[in-house]
């Protein structure tokens, strides 16, 4: 499948904020996907993600902006089965979820830890494409489904640490891919 990415301006690499930064724990605001500032931030998220080793997604709160916007691309990740390529989505939500399973997650905003998180293994995600305003639905599974849920959680003010079953499900990170 080809990329779902719209035409974007050149992106800037932004610093990633770390927990316990306040912006990571507040629900992001809905955005106007046609607003030039939203389109620029979408490009910036993708540019920042691409220069960050092991990063498969980045949400606006992770660069200090409390908006419901994220980039995602699991291309080339060894755990990826279904791959839709690079995507940027605004105001996204999980529409359908099934096949719940536990899996290990990490996060650039929580760089020293990983955690076992129960998430849907199959999802239908819907959002709006910055720059076009088109509604996009992505049906996916496995690692890509987990990545979508992780980024949508960021936009709702949740970290993977909010989803672990307890302290026993949190682990010290050994390497960041």
């Amino acid at each position: 499948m080809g990329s779902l990415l719209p035409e974007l301006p050149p992106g800037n690499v932004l610093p990633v904020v770390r927990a316990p930064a306040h912006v990571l724990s507040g629900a992001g605001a809905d955005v106007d996907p046609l607003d030039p500032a939203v389109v620029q931030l979408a490009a910036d998220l993708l540019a920042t993600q691409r220069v960050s080793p092991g990063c498969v997604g980045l949400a606006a709160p992770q660069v200090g902006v409390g908006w419901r916007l994220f980039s995602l691309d699991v291309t080339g990740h060894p755990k990826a089965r279904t791959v839709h390529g690079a995507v940027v989505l605004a105001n996204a939500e999980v529409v359908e979820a099934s096949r719940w399973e536990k899996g290990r997650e990490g996060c650039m905003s929580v760089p020293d830890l990983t955690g076992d998180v129960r998430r849907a293994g199959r999802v239908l995600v819907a959002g709006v494409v910055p720059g076009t305003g088109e509604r996009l639905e992505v049906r996916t599974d496995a690692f890509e489904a987990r990545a979508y849920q992780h980024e949508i959680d960021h936009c709702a003010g949740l970290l993977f640490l909010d989803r672990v079953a307890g302290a026993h499900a949190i682990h010290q990170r050994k390497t960041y891919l």
Side-chain angles (χ1 to χ4, degrees):
M1 171 172 263
S3 174
L4 303 175
L5 196 64
E7 190 168 323
L8 295 172
N12 304 301
V13 175
L14 303 175
V16 175
V17 300
R18 295 180 175 189
H22 181 70
V23 69
L24 294 172
S25 60
D30 284 348
V31 296
D32 174 356
L34 299 179
D35 182 330
V38 171
V39 175
Q40 182 61 56
L41 184 59
D44 295 346
L45 289 170
L46 202 56
T48 304
Q49 176 188 330
R50 286 180 170 156
V51 301
S52 304
C55 181
V56 296
L58 193 64
Q62 292 182 275
V63 294
V65 180
W67 290 353
R68 292 182 59 211
L69 178 69
F70 66 84
S71 64
L72 190 143
D73 187 359
V74 301
T75 302
H77 193 284
K79 292 183 181 176
R81 185 169 60 210
T82 300
V83 177
H84 287 88
V87 175
V88 287
L89 275 183
N91 309 325
E93 61 185 359
V94 175
V95 177
E96 295 175 13
S98 63
R99 295 198 178 181
W100 295 82
E101 55 195 27
K102 188 172 61 174
R104 185 70 55 92
E105 293 185 19
C107 180
M108 288 182 63
S109 294
V110 188
D112 299 327
L113 301 173
T114 62
D116 298 326
V117 180
R118 185 171 161 80
R119 295 202 189 266
R122 286 189 177 184
V123 294
L124 173 63
V125 171
V128 183
V129 179
T132 69
E134 294 177 17
R135 179 179 165 85
L136 176 67
E137 290 188 349
V138 178
R139 187 174 299 278
T140 190
D141 61 11
F143 184 75
E144 191 175 63
R146 178 169 296 278
Y148 270 102
Q149 292 166 88
H150 181 106
E151 299 311 324
I152 290 171
D153 268 0
H154 271 302
C155 294
L158 298 171
L159 297 173
F160 75 85
L161 295 173
D162 297 308
R163 298 274 189 194
V164 297
H168 66 281
I170 299 172
H171 311 277
Q172 191 71 36
R173 179 186 294 276
K174 294 178 183 163
T175 61
Y176 199 85
L177 284 182

